[in-house]
Amino acid sequence: MKPVQSELKKWMQQNANFKENYLKVREEVLNDPEISEFLSLYPQLSQEEIDKNLIKLYEYKSQSKQCDRCESLGSCINMIQGYSPILRAENDAIQLVYEKCHKLVDAERQREQHKLIQSLYMPKDILNATIDDIDHDKQRGVGIRELLLFLENARTELPARGIYFHGPFGVGKTYLLGALANALKDYHISSMLIYMPEFVREMKSSIKDDSINEKMNYFKTTDVLMLDDIGAETQSAWFRDEILGSILQYRMMEKLPVFFTSNYSLEQLEEQLAITNRGGSETVKAGRITERIKQVSKEVQLYGENRRDS
Ligand code: ADP
Ligand code: MG
């Protein structure tokens, strides 16, 4: 008799624990701020329905919502990586559905862009650049202040103008763009950073296939376009007028910002753009481009030592 009795006792004990645990979890779930808000929005949900779906509610509670508890897609804590839970009430029934999280949407968009546009790049030493890592030295103060102002405004509405950073080699112009691109990700603002010499090469080689229009569309419509080292590319009247001119025109009309880095001031760039591979000088057309650059960005000079030597 004894073994049965002790088994029974054990079972009763476990059962008591189970009930206790159940009540604890139930209370935790129902007190979760998001869940109680959800339930208050749908008073028609019966107590029976709520209790029946306690597991779903618990699942919802345990998951990261739109990346609020995940640093990166790779370290996503959710049951289905890259998917974020949503609670719904349909026909007086509770439903738990999943949608792609911001980080997954962003990663997929980037993958798609990179598949199409080979020259999109982020230099390795800049890949992890962050705004917090930017040294606030006096020489670059104005540039950094402008960048922070842009970011602050972007939080509520994407500003119509970016920044045209110019200054000597190695002062950290590209680094600033990398840091900005990374910061914008947190606001779910997409950006494309492209190195001008590669950009020209890639667009020229796409003339033959049909991809050029699709590529143009990406450059026209991405939230924030970043053109790195403008003026360093081989000058071509076709690229200047048909590609760059048309992208800038579109972005100007749509009030979409563009960031630039250059070794040249805008005045110097204008001279540079006037010299084409046809040999002549095309000051009017070059002037048209710099006018558009001014519409989509604000010129800021960066000073400082060459950081590549240190
Ligand atoms: P530029 O584009 O003006 O020629 P870069 O942005 O390439 O200059 O910067 C030159 C080097 O200095 C790069 O290796 C970059 O990683 C580093 N660098 C620039 N700014 C910073 C910074 N604020 N903190 C750390 N490293 C920086
Ligand atoms: Mg650079």
Side-chain angles (χ1 to χ4, degrees):
M1 264 330 264
K2 220 172 180 193
V4 176
Q5 243 178 20
S6 68
E7 277 304 301
L8 193 65
K9 226 176 174 177
K10 209 164 119 195
W11 184 84
M12 276 165 62
Q13 179 73 31
Q14 278 172 350
N15 220 18
N17 283 347
F18 172 79
K19 189 151 191 212
E20 208 174 281
N21 278 341
Y22 172 82
L23 289 175
K24 208 173 120 217
V25 169
R26 184 176 185 276
E27 195 184 307
E28 250 175 52
V29 167
L30 299 182
N31 284 334
D32 177 86
E34 282 179 276
I35 290 177
S36 60
E37 193 191 333
F38 167 77
L39 294 177
S40 70
L41 283 174
Y42 299 99
Q44 71 272 30
L45 291 170
S46 67
Q47 198 57 50
E48 192 194 344
E49 176 66 14
I50 294 170
D51 283 335
K52 207 173 77 191
N53 286 288
L54 217 52
I55 288 281
K56 274 187 199 166
L57 297 175
Y58 180 77
E59 182 178 321
Y60 178 80
K61 176 176 149 51
S62 68
Q63 302 289 287
S64 163
K65 264 74 96 188
Q66 281 302 348
C67 318
D68 65 352
R69 285 191 273 147
C70 307
E71 275 290 309
S72 64
L73 192 56
S75 61
C76 175
I77 62 160
N78 284 1
M79 294 205 303
I80 318 167
Q81 276 213 337
Y83 283 80
S84 185
I86 307 170
L87 277 180
R88 285 198 194 136
E90 262 167 46
N91 303 327
D92 297 343
I94 295 176
Q95 291 193 340
L96 179 65
V97 293
Y98 280 85
E99 65 169 12
K100 287 178 186 174
C101 71
H102 298 311
K103 289 195 163 75
L104 179 62
V105 170
D106 194 43
E108 285 184 348
R109 184 170 44 209
Q110 280 205 10
R111 220 174 296 146
E112 209 176 287
Q113 283 178 356
H114 282 258
K115 212 163 63 189
L116 180 71
I117 304 159
Q118 264 73 42
S119 49
L120 281 179
Y121 90 122
M122 183 78 113
K124 276 217 176 63
D125 58 340
I126 283 168
L127 204 59
N128 298 317
T130 70
I131 295 285
D132 292 340
D133 288 340
I134 298 173
D135 311 328
H136 284 242
D137 50 60
K138 275 208 193 85
Q139 290 168 309
R140 299 190 304 170
V142 180
I144 293 165
R145 217 174 311 136
E146 288 292 340
L147 199 68
L148 293 178
L149 190 66
F150 178 89
L151 255 183
E152 185 54 39
N153 292 334
R155 206 189 275 265
T156 43
E157 197 187 357
L158 192 63
R161 289 168 81 205
I163 304 170
Y164 180 96
F165 286 119
H166 69 98
F169 183 73
V171 287
K173 301 184 294 296
T174 305
Y175 189 93
L176 289 184
L177 293 192
L180 176 67
N182 287 333
L184 288 172
K185 275 190 209 158
D186 291 341
Y187 300 162
H188 317 305
I189 296 174
S190 67
S191 61
M192 283 168 84
L193 173 61
I194 195 153
Y195 182 53
M196 282 301 279
E198 290 293 335
F199 187 17
V200 174
R201 223 168 294 149
E202 172 151 7
M203 293 312 254
K204 275 190 179 162
S205 69
S206 318
I207 302 177
K208 292 172 243 65
D209 56 61
D210 291 337
S211 66
I212 196 155
N213 288 335
E214 206 182 333
K215 288 180 185 179
M216 284 287 279
N217 265 340
Y218 271 111
F219 293 112
K220 282 179 176 172
T221 58
T222 186
D223 296 335
V224 178
L225 180 63
M226 301 177 171
L227 301 178
D228 194 24
D229 245 335
I230 189 168
E233 71 279 14
T234 316
Q235 292 305 321
S236 132
W238 169 77
F239 182 85
R240 180 195 61 200
D241 304 329
E242 306 299 325
I243 304 296
L244 186 60
S246 145
I247 291 171
L248 294 179
Q249 168 78 13
Y250 182 91
R251 299 189 65 90
M252 182 181 87
M253 307 283 279
E254 296 297 318
K255 299 200 181 341
L256 291 168
V258 186
F259 282 77
F260 302 85
T261 77
S262 184
N263 289 330
Y264 302 108
S265 67
L266 261 177
E267 204 183 326
Q268 291 166 330
L269 181 76
E270 193 166 322
E271 288 169 26
Q272 196 67 19
L273 290 172
I275 310 162
T276 72
N277 50 357
R278 288 185 201 142
S281 169
E282 301 189 350
T283 47
V284 176
K285 285 182 173 167
R288 200 173 292 150
I289 297 289
T290 48
E291 264 320 299
R292 283 179 193 157
I293 293 179
K294 283 179 201 163
Q295 301 279 339
V296 293
S297 71
K298 177 175 176 182
E299 187 173 8
V300 171
Q301 186 164 7
L302 281 181
Y303 309 90
E305 85 266 24
N306 185 348
R307 286 172 168 270
R308 284 175 214 241
D309 298 335
S310 53

